[in-house]
Amino acid sequence: MPIVLLDAPSNLGLMRPASDREPGVRFAPWQLRRLGLAERLGALDGGHVEPPPYDGLRDLATGVLHGAAISRYALALADALGLPLERGDFPLVLGGDCSIVLGCALALRRRGRHGLLFVDGHRDLLRPEATTHAAAAGMSLAFATGHGPNLSTRIDGHLPLVAPADVLLFGHRDADRWYDASLLAVANDAMRSLSLDAARRIDIDRAFGQRMAAFAGCGIDGFWLHFDADVLDDRVMAAVDARQPEGMTADEAVRLLRAAVSSGRCRGLQLSNYDPERDPGLACGRVLVDILAEGLDALRGPVAAVDGDGAPGEPVE
Ligand SMILES: [Mn+2]
């Protein structure tokens, strides 16, 4: 299955890091490609979807920073994902901030019932009226599951883009107090959810594997994998907007990607929130390239695998 890189350098969902600057996540696709991501993955080039300009203004209709522009961008990104998805390729969308999940979810929503594996240090279930910054990145899962202003949730006539029951939240280590009680109830009751702590109390691979199997078999046609760089441990991934202590190791992330891909249901992946401007030595960028290259290695191919008996195996599709 060919991997196709598609650049989605939208920073519209984050607030300014300083009054005279835009969020640096817009440089992530360029930096990851410079670090050899395409070569490491054997990936094809799927091009670039240019976001609307960053004006730093809160949209009156939605109360969300760049609210209308983010919905417009979701349409453009979903359109651009049409060709690789129809061809059966595996799109790897390089964000950008987490609000790009709306375009990815829309692309799959147009093609049937799809789930969302939401791997993120945060649950991204904020409400615009409950924050002062009104930045959509922290609301991305709320919007994708139909919670929020109409313009942000009903995109191209689809509401919700993903049913809450078709979401598997994994790896979060954020505090309940950030979220509205009603949205927490959606996360706790309607969504499948496994926090990093809960997974580690059992055994992270076994706990995730069980949830993954139940999720992949719940009646969905496939799922999108949302991977926020901030799910990773702060000691290896400081180049993100909303840092938190601790997090997943690079090895755990590789095993997670492998488990998701080997389910046979993962239709594509988005990497969000890597900010090269917070990564002066590029160590964080290199970690991400390594994780993606190792985690998606089963998609590379065809390669002549060798099984335990030393006999040639089947090419990996
Ligand atoms: Mn996020």
Side-chain angles (χ1 to χ4, degrees):
M1 183 187 271
I3 300 173
V4 177
L5 294 186
L6 178 62
D7 295 359
S10 170
N11 57 4
L12 298 171
L14 293 174
M15 58 183 168
R16 292 185 188 278
S19 61
D20 58 345
R21 285 172 50 211
E22 286 184 33
V25 294
R26 64 191 162 134
F27 299 119
W30 173 80
Q31 187 60 263
L32 292 165
R33 284 171 181 264
R34 241 183 105 219
L35 290 170
L37 180 64
E39 294 78 11
R40 290 281 300 278
L41 291 166
L44 306 171
D45 184 11
H48 167 106
V49 183
E50 182 66 22
Y54 189 103
D55 61 22
L57 298 176
R58 198 163 169 158
D59 181 74
L60 286 177
T62 58
V64 176
L65 180 70
H66 306 121
I70 286 169
S71 295
R72 272 205 318 281
Y73 190 65
L75 283 168
L77 182 54
D79 287 348
L81 280 165
L83 182 63
L85 289 172
E86 291 300 321
R87 265 197 320 234
D89 295 346
F90 186 93
L92 170 50
V93 176
L94 303 175
D97 67 70
C98 286
S99 66
I100 64 168
V101 72
L102 299 174
C104 303
L106 174 60
L108 286 187
R109 179 67 189 82
R110 288 170 171 171
R111 292 170 172 80
R113 177 183 161 196
H114 287 88
L116 178 62
L117 172 54
F118 199 87
V119 180
D120 199 308
H122 314 82
R123 282 166 286 186
D124 292 357
L125 287 167
L126 294 172
R127 283 184 185 280
E129 55 274 22
T131 68
T132 50
H133 53 73
M139 308 171 194
S140 56
L141 183 58
F143 291 173
T145 53
H147 303 276
N150 197 44
L151 185 66
S152 305
T153 53
R154 182 190 294 274
I155 302 180
D156 201 21
H158 296 291
L159 177 76
L161 297 177
V162 184
D166 294 341
V167 173
L168 172 55
L169 267 166
F170 180 57
H172 48 281
R173 57 186 195 282
D174 52 355
D176 283 1
R177 63 186 156 77
W178 292 3
Y179 301 107
D180 186 272
S182 64
L183 285 178
L184 262 187
V186 173
N188 293 335
D189 303 339
M191 295 179 190
R192 297 158 191 275
S193 173
L194 182 63
S195 70
L196 188 58
D197 263 3
R200 281 193 173 138
R201 274 200 298 274
I202 309 164
D203 168 282
I204 188 165
D205 297 290
R206 198 156 53 89
F208 178 64
Q210 285 168 354
R211 299 296 176 103
M212 185 68 231
F215 174 60
C218 77
I220 52 177
D221 299 317
F223 64 86
W224 186 258
L225 204 172
H226 163 110
F227 189 93
D228 184 327
D230 70 24
V231 79
L232 293 166
D233 195 288
D234 188 61
R235 285 166 294 187
V236 295
M237 189 50 58
V240 294
D241 175 78
R243 291 176 63 178
Q244 304 180 95
E246 304 187 343
M248 206 177 277
T249 67
D251 283 344
E252 286 169 343
V254 167
R255 300 203 300 273
L256 176 151
L257 293 183
R258 286 181 173 161
V261 166
S262 71
S263 74
R265 294 295 178 98
C266 185
R267 299 288 177 255
L269 184 161
Q270 141 219 337
L271 173 70
S272 18
N273 267 350
Y274 166 56
D275 184 344
E277 291 192 331
R278 300 175 197 263
D279 188 23
L282 301 180
C284 298
R286 290 197 181 91
V287 165
L288 288 170
V289 169
D290 285 345
I291 288 171
L292 291 168
E294 291 169 36
L296 302 180
D297 57 358
L299 296 170
R300 289 192 67 121
V303 293
V306 175
D307 69 20
D309 301 316
E314 290 295 314
V316 177
E317 290 294 331

